[in-house]
Amino acid sequence: MRLTEFRCEALFEWSLSEVELMHWADFTAEKLRKERGEKQVACSGITPSGEFHLGHIREILSAEMIHRSCLDAGLDSRYIFIVDSMDPLRRVYPFLSDEYEQYIGCPLAFIPAPDSDGNPDPNAGSYAEHFLEPFLEALAEIGVFPEVIMNHETYAGGQFTDKVDSAIEQADESREIIESISGRELDDDWFPYKPLGSDGSMDGVTVTGYEKPYVHWKDRHGESGSADTRKAEGKLPWRIDWAARWGIHGVTCEPAGKDHGAAGGSFDTGLPICRLLGSEPPAKMVYEWIQVKGAGPMSSSSGNTVGPIETLSLVPPEILRYLIAGSKMNRHIDFNTGPALFQMADEYERLVADPPNPEAEDLTKRQRVAAITQSGAMRLSQIERGADPVDSLAGVSFRHLAMLAQIKTSDDDVWNSLRSSGHLTGEPKQALQQRLARMRNWIGSIHFPEDARIHIHSQIDENVRGELSQEQSTFLQKLAGELSNTEWSDEAIGSTIRTIAPGCGIGGREAYVALYWVMLGRNYGPKASAILFEIGREAAIELLTS
RNA sequence: GGGCCUGUAGCUUAGUCAGGUAGAGCGCCGGGCUUUUAACCCGGUGGCCGGGGGUUCGAAUCCCUCCAGGCCCGCCA
């Protein structure tokens, strides 16, 4: 704990003189302090339409890491997560039944959630909540606990009223900003507020007048009415809504995807609109796309990308955080749930085992930059802020767990194995249990790399038989005979192997190579005695004598 | 058409903003550990920093230009 505090202090010291040598989140925190002072509000948002992807995770983690960096730098920081629950249902998604046609244009907060068949279920709560819930659970797994703000509640609470009034009073200016910056032409009947019609949809509703706080409308059914701007009876159009909420919540930082960041995109129009409505906007900050690819055919039409929930079911959360923390924001991330996961885990574990020390004196500028960046990435990758990275490994390497999970079918056997090898004392912590669960998911999925898969043969392959020397064959025969009397434990089997080998005229290496050849069809592998143990006495003897 | 980002070793990349001898990890090769956590340790291999031009004593870094890739400009992060 004290060490962590010291490191944060040290980072801050660096920042004063060598701001450029910081991790991007720390750099941003420092920049925010200079521009906006001690109070910071980091923000990210999501539309709970049900279509989530990893880009959302990148956005959220970027904001959350900046928030953590602000806290680490001693700033008074909040991280808010705005749910666009007032956004309308735009189309009938593939996972919805046609019955949702009737809800198009209605705010997601006000329409029913689908049941398992995709039909509206009046007893399942709101659509927005329904999809938000599992997403928030996923966020909790990666250590993200935002202040959740449902945008429809902000409308219902009247917090938007002044902004709405301001936008309507300055409708011409708003229009001018959007048209000149985005380059697109707005319809003549464009109005900076979209009231809900008689059927609860904002589609086909025309504004007929404004008398604060009421927006009068006429809808496609010929009905007319008035929307109270102090309530959730309508909303601002996206480009204005976004700009308005910056002011309402005092947002000082909100990373946006590069679609919003493009010239003329919603960030560019948001900045002047936010000022038009009387508030100071956050500085423009844009992050690149992220893509996580998996193996095999996926439901998604665009290649075979893996969604955030599925990714989290396979990838350890700190590794996912590290993927984001270790990449610069403007860097496109291509990741896969195959071999790259092993590599990323290796890299992470190397850093944990041998933490970079930015304070070392004999470092070149380059090395110091790397050390600072890496130690920042490690710090921000922890699920719990301030936690010791060593704890995240729970004492077991990713590769070791991959092996154990394959040869031990029961979790208890894995724990026993870890106890006997000294990796574990007592009962496994929840973190370790989850690691194993994810590992099993991964191994059981098509994403697990084929060459990391252990295929235990049930009999000697003919090609393999040809490779074996006379001595090796003799060894295998003798071993088979001996195994029928050997105590069936990992250790005893190992000892038997080592005892028999010399008597067959071969060294230990050749003996093991022979064993691996017949068991796995390869000349190397995980601990041989452990595999034999797992195969079981009878099957093992059958294999060796086949 | 307008704009943004990227191009450095076989792969992933650091360094680019404030120019000062190209760094790292993985892979690969060799050796060690009298042999197993696909581990670990030591050594080695490997880059005209996308091409060309310019500024400079000096350029991966700044300027111009070209090439290649990705993306945005319809509320898809």
Side-chain angles (χ1 to χ4, degrees):
Chain A
M1 192 59 178
R2 185 175 290 170
L3 185 66
T4 309
E5 282 170 10
F6 172 75
R7 288 231 166 113
C8 295
E9 286 275 326
L11 261 175
F12 179 53
E13 287 300 318
W14 284 109
S15 71
L16 293 178
S17 55
E18 309 185 40
V19 154
E20 77 283 6
L21 297 186
M22 303 176 79
H23 185 273
W24 55 259
D26 295 320
F27 174 81
T28 305
E30 202 47 45
K31 189 161 159 280
L32 287 171
R33 176 210 292 277
K34 281 179 191 145
E35 290 169 1
R36 304 295 292 261
E38 298 295 310
K39 284 181 86 82
Q40 299 295 336
V41 179
C43 174
S44 55
I46 196 171
T47 302
S49 64
E51 292 199 317
F52 299 126
H53 50 75
L54 267 177
H56 293 120
I57 298 287
R58 184 172 201 176
E59 168 162 327
I60 287 160
L61 282 177
S62 297
E64 196 259 1
M65 285 171 184
I66 290 167
H67 162 65
R68 285 196 188 188
S69 284
C70 284
L71 292 177
D72 291 345
L75 300 179
D76 175 10
S77 178
R78 296 167 63 207
Y79 168 49
I80 63 174
F81 182 73
I82 299 181
V83 181
D84 284 316
S85 50
M86 202 59 194
D87 278 22
L89 182 72
R90 298 185 206 290
R91 59 191 174 91
V92 179
Y93 297 102
F95 48 85
L96 298 176
S97 80
D98 291 343
E99 283 193 57
Y100 273 93
E101 197 73 42
Q102 62 180 307
Y103 296 119
I104 287 179
C106 299
L108 299 172
F110 302 147
I111 62 179
D115 60 19
S116 52
D117 295 325
N119 292 311
D121 179 353
N123 302 315
S126 85
Y127 187 103
E129 294 279 359
H130 173 82
F131 287 107
L132 183 61
E133 203 172 307
F135 192 75
L136 289 179
E137 282 168 14
L139 291 188
E141 286 183 47
I142 50 176
V144 175
F145 298 95
E147 289 179 40
V148 177
I149 295 174
M150 301 297 281
N151 211 31
H152 76 279
E153 289 176 1
T154 309
Y155 275 101
Q159 290 172 267
F160 268 102
T161 311
D162 289 346
K163 295 293 184 188
V164 170
D165 182 58
S166 184
I168 295 175
E169 292 298 337
Q170 302 175 89
D172 290 343
E173 290 87 339
S174 303
R175 171 193 284 271
E176 167 62 20
I177 287 170
I178 293 175
E179 290 193 328
S180 66
I181 294 181
S182 79
R184 64 187 179 126
E185 229 170 276
L186 299 174
D187 293 341
D188 288 341
D189 62 350
W190 180 86
F191 191 78
Y193 185 81
K194 297 164 85 172
L196 302 181
S198 60
D199 56 0
S201 168
M202 50 192 96
D203 286 357
V205 179
T206 314
V207 172
T208 54
Y210 174 63
E211 289 170 291
K212 188 182 180 182
Y214 298 102
V215 173
H216 306 302
W217 51 262
K218 192 174 174 188
D219 71 11
R220 55 190 164 183
H221 309 296
E223 305 276 337
S224 57
S226 300
D228 188 339
T229 61
R230 297 167 301 183
K231 299 178 181 168
E233 295 180 356
K235 75 181 286 286
L236 293 163
W238 159 247
R239 284 177 188 251
I240 298 179
D241 183 294
W242 199 26
R245 66 170 83 154
W246 283 336
I248 292 169
H249 302 291
V251 174
T252 56
C253 171
E254 178 167 359
K258 67 173 176 179
D259 53 336
H260 294 311
S266 45
F267 221 124
D268 284 356
T269 52
L271 299 177
I273 291 173
C274 184
R275 294 193 185 98
L276 181 73
L277 303 182
S279 304
E280 183 59 24
K284 183 171 178 177
M285 180 180 294
V286 178
Y287 62 87
E288 254 286 357
W289 308 85
I290 178 173
Q291 210 166 40
V292 172
K293 291 198 170 172
M298 303 290 292
S299 55
S300 173
S301 55
S302 58
N304 48 6
T305 52
V306 183
I309 310 258
E310 188 185 2
T311 301
L312 262 174
S313 74
L314 308 171
V315 180
E318 52 282 340
I319 301 293
L320 186 56
R321 288 189 69 105
Y322 181 70
L323 181 66
I324 308 295
S327 310
K328 295 194 299 185
M329 264 208 213
N330 66 354
R331 200 98 204 173
H332 178 86
I333 298 179
D334 258 325
F335 188 65
N336 68 64
T337 50
L341 187 47
F342 271 125
Q343 284 163 22
M344 184 65 77
D346 283 345
E347 182 179 331
Y348 180 85
E349 284 164 10
R350 260 197 313 278
L351 282 173
V352 172
D354 188 16
N357 177 15
E359 285 119 59
E361 284 182 8
D362 54 344
L363 296 180
T364 63
K365 176 185 173 185
R366 202 170 273 133
Q367 290 169 319
R368 206 163 69 226
V369 170
I372 290 173
T373 309
Q374 287 174 335
S375 70
M378 287 306 297
R379 189 182 100 244
L380 293 164
S381 296
Q382 300 316 303
I383 303 309
E384 191 182 333
R385 179 173 161 253
D388 186 341
V390 172
D391 293 337
S392 66
L393 299 186
V396 191
S397 82
F398 191 74
R399 294 196 111 104
H400 184 48
L401 199 59
M403 185 274 292
L404 283 180
Q406 286 185 83
I407 62 169
K408 306 282 188 190
T409 47
S410 113
D411 287 5
D412 282 336
D413 288 345
V414 172
W415 310 139
N416 286 333
S417 170
L418 288 173
R419 285 188 195 103
S420 66
S421 57
H423 291 91
L424 175 68
T425 48
E427 290 305 308
K429 287 185 200 156
Q430 203 194 355
L432 184 53
Q433 292 181 27
Q434 287 176 344
R435 277 179 84 88
L436 179 59
R438 288 201 172 85
M439 182 60 75
R440 289 204 188 284
N441 287 342
W442 190 37
I443 292 167
S445 77
I446 53 174
H447 307 294
F448 193 74
E450 217 30 60
D451 62 0
R453 217 176 266 288
I454 299 172
H455 294 288
I456 298 176
H457 297 193
S458 58
Q459 53 182 338
I460 299 176
D461 189 273
E462 286 311 314
N463 295 331
V464 167
R465 198 186 299 282
E467 296 288 320
L468 297 173
S469 69
Q470 187 57 48
E471 290 80 7
Q472 285 175 315
S473 297
T474 309
F475 161 73
L476 295 174
Q477 289 301 323
K478 275 194 169 182
L479 179 62
E482 203 61 40
L483 284 180
S484 50
N485 308 317
T486 302
E487 177 202 327
W488 206 249
S489 74
D490 189 333
E491 270 182 37
I493 296 168
S495 145
T496 303
I497 295 170
R498 283 187 289 276
T499 310
I500 293 178
C504 303
I506 54 174
R509 177 177 217 99
E510 283 182 81
Y512 275 102
V513 166
L515 260 178
Y516 286 119
W517 270 117
V518 298
M519 292 192 301
L520 308 176
R522 275 185 257 177
N523 61 358
Y524 63 95
K527 198 172 181 181
S529 52
I531 299 177
L532 284 170
F533 175 79
E534 183 67 15
I535 294 174
R537 192 193 302 267
E538 283 180 26
I541 293 171
E542 201 179 313
L543 165 65
L544 296 177
T545 54
S546 65

